[in-house]
């Protein structure tokens, strides 16, 4: 009943945004700030009016300059040939703005919606399309940005590296290693399967007090490492693998890059200690320190001396009579007399 009343209020106020009056637009912004989450919950619960409520959604995007925009406005700005509505989820705007998943999309002029409210992850499980346009999470598999004339050539050129890297990460639950079509400056990232949880959703579910570990394992999407074939690190790694695929230092680098990509992609590391150990090993190598270098033992001499001095001071204080003792002794003698 409450949802029906809320929908009525929302639909009645929908005309406010359509007005060109700045004051009325300001009124709608205030309305959205107060009832926006309820509208999202309405989209989740009310399948009959889902499309009508979706018209009232407001969000920021890569091209909205910090202002709220609608799905209709987004569609009106879509590039020619663009088939999907692109969006990204995350804990806050500051993080999603810097996400490596946006690099090539921004470079090619595509607009991406920022969804930073925890309820948005649930919302997008129900809002599959709008006005015949499908939604596409840019942090998942299936991203299409047009045809790349060099795609087949690059795939063949890095075939040996991708196959080797997949084998090197066999213990990390990595489903595949592929050439990426979404990177420009970052060497590699980790994406999830289309119908599995995103990194942001994994983080939300892990924070739940009564979360089910078995369900999390089932819903966690298969992870795919995507590499940037134009990045100098990836090119050099390919040369090292071709030269000696059994090189331990190359394997160490491959694992370290994967773990770094996991964090940059928004995932939580299962074993932070292992990641820290690999970082320290890398630092040793960069400083030309032998991996077998022994950590200097702590000198315990000073500690023994301090302990001896403490005992000596304690003995001295016990031997010296206190002022109370000095005052007491004569009085005792006087009483006896």
């Amino acid at each position: 009943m409450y949802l029906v009343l809320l929908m009525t209020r929302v639909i009645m106020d929908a005309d406010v945004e359509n007005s060109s009056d700045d004051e009325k637009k300001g009124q709608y912004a205030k309305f959205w700030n107060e009832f926006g989450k309820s509208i999202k919950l309405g989209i989740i619960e009310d399948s009959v009016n889902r499309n009508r409520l979706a018209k009232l959604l407001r969000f920021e995007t890569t091209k909205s300059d910090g202002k709220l925009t609608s799905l209709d406005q987004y569609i009106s700005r879509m590039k020619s040939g663009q088939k999907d509505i692109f969006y990204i989820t995350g804990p806050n705007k500051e993080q999603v703005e810097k996400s490596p998943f946006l690099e090539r999309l921004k470079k090619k002029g595509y607009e991406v919606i920022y969804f930073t409210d925890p309820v948005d992850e649930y919302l997008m499980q129900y809002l599959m399309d709008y006005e015949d346009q499908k939604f596409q999470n840019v942090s998942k598999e299936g991203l299409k940005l047009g045809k790349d004339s060099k795609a087949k050539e690059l795939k063949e050129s890095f075939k040996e590296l991708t196959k080797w890297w997949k084998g090197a990460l066999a213990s990390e639950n990595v489903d595949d290693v592929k050439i990426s079509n979404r990177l420009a400056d970052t060497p590699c990232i980790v994406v999830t399967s289309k119908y599995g949880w995103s990194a942001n959703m994994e983080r939300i579910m892990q924070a739940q007090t009564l979360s089910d570990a078995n369900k999390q394992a089932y819903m966690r999407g298969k992870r795919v490492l995507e590499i940037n074939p134009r990045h100098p690190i990836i090119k050099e790694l390919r040369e090292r693998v071709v030269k000696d695929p059994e090189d331990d230092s190359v394997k160490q680098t491959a694992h370290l890059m994967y773990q770094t990509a996991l964090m940059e992609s928004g995932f939580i590391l299962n074993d932070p200690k292992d990641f820290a150990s690999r970082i320290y090993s890398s630092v040793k190598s960069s400083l030309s320190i032998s991996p077998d270098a022994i950590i200097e033992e702590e000198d315990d001499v000073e500690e023994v001396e301090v302990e001896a001095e403490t005992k000596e001071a304690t003995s001295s204080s016990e031997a010296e009579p206190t002022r109370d003792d000095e005052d007491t002794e004569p009085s005792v003698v006087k009483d006896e007399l």
Side-chain angles (χ1 to χ4, degrees), residues 195-316:
Y195 298 104
W197 282 344
S198 65
N200 187 54
M201 188 62 173
E202 279 192 28
R203 183 168 50 248
I204 291 172
M205 294 307 297
Q206 287 177 9
Q208 300 297 320
T209 304
L210 301 177
S211 59
D212 187 341
N214 293 328
K215 183 178 180 181
Q216 287 186 19
Y218 176 75
M219 290 302 298
R220 186 181 293 117
K222 292 182 179 180
R223 296 173 181 176
V224 176
L225 178 66
E226 290 191 356
I227 62 175
N228 184 355
R230 297 173 178 82
H231 199 283
I233 292 178
I234 300 300
K235 289 182 177 181
E236 179 62 24
L237 196 60
R238 177 184 60 177
E239 299 302 321
R240 297 287 184 93
V241 169
V242 171
K243 184 178 180 180
D244 185 5
E246 300 301 322
D247 189 339
D248 288 336
S249 65
V250 177
K251 291 181 180 180
Q252 176 86 349
T253 300
H255 276 278
L256 183 57
M257 288 185 65
Y258 171 70
Q259 291 176 321
T260 303
L262 268 178
M263 289 197 304
E264 193 172 17
S265 302
F267 293 93
I268 298 175
L269 293 179
N270 293 328
D271 190 355
K273 180 64 176 177
D274 180 62
F275 175 70
S277 298
R278 294 183 191 278
I279 287 289
Y280 294 141
S281 296
S282 180
V283 171
K284 279 184 179 181
S285 178
S286 66
L287 296 176
S288 300
I289 298 174
S290 171
D292 299 323
I294 300 174
I295 299 174
E296 184 178 348
E297 292 290 339
E298 184 179 0
D299 193 351
D300 295 332
V301 175
E302 293 183 3
E303 194 172 314
V304 173
E305 290 179 354
V306 170
E307 185 177 349
E309 289 175 1
T310 303
K311 288 182 178 179
E312 184 179 346
T314 303
S315 301
S316 300

Side-chain angles (χ1 to χ4, degrees), residues 110-138:
Y110 289 101
E111 186 174 10
V112 183
I113 296 171
Y114 296 149
F115 281 136
T116 57
D117 190 333
V119 75
D120 291 336
E121 284 284 357
Y122 300 95
L123 169 69
M124 299 315 294
Q125 292 179 21
Y126 293 88
L127 190 62
M128 308 300 293
D129 57 71
Y130 178 78
E131 300 293 342
D132 298 325
Q133 304 288 336
K134 298 289 186 181
F135 285 93
Q136 171 65 52
N137 188 332
V138 299

Side-chain angles (χ1 to χ4, degrees), residues 146-164:
K147 294 182 179 180
D148 187 346
S149 58
K150 294 184 178 180
K152 290 184 178 181
E153 181 182 338
L154 288 171
K155 184 177 180 180
E156 186 63 30
S157 179
F158 285 84
K159 184 177 181 180
E160 188 170 351
L161 173 63
T162 54
K163 183 179 180 180
W164 173 89

